[in-house]
Amino acid sequence: MSRIKQDLICEIIRLSQTNLLDKKCAKMSCETQEQVVLDWIRKNAAEYRVEFHTRLSALSASRLGRILKDLTGTGKDLSDIFEENSVVHRG
């Protein structure tokens, strides 16, 4: 895998995790947010990275670029994007 593609995947996963945690913590106090984020990282972050790295590795660099653009500023995470794409491909 090229270095550019690898970097794209890492940035996509980082941004997706950030968006996911922002959604989870939107209406929480700062103290609660910190605890929720720490708990999620301890219990889920590694599995999340592995699962989505595997799924993203099969995609082209141009498709990865479109996913990164879609994640930026929308608040979506990778689950949202893959769910939207599976609905499109089924219908």
Side-chain angles (χ1 to χ4, degrees):
M1 179 180 317
S2 76
R3 183 69 191 159
I4 293 172
K5 187 172 174 179
Q6 183 64 35
D7 289 347
L8 269 171
I9 290 171
C10 290
E11 181 60 16
I12 287 168
I13 291 170
R14 185 203 63 77
L15 185 55
S16 178
Q17 287 176 321
T18 300
N19 290 349
L20 176 68
L21 291 170
D22 283 348
K23 285 190 286 190
K24 283 183 163 299
C25 298
K27 300 192 189 295
M28 298 176 183
S29 69
C30 287
E31 291 173 4
T32 304
Q33 286 178 1
E34 287 178 27
Q35 191 58 49
V36 167
V37 168
L38 290 173
D39 288 345
W40 190 87
I41 289 169
R42 265 189 244 118
K43 296 175 184 174
N44 302 303
E47 184 178 319
Y48 188 94
R49 282 190 309 273
V50 169
E51 175 188 345
F52 282 113
H53 191 282
T54 301
R55 294 173 78 178
L56 293 167
S57 294
L59 303 177
S60 69
S62 63
R63 178 69 180 122
L64 293 173
R66 290 193 302 272
I67 289 172
L68 182 59
K69 183 178 178 182
D70 201 16
L71 290 172
T72 303
T74 64
K76 293 179 184 178
D77 63 71
L78 285 168
S79 296
D80 297 331
I81 289 173
F82 279 107
E83 184 177 300
E84 289 170 2
N85 286 330
S86 69
V87 169
V88 169
H89 294 303
R90 277 189 250 146

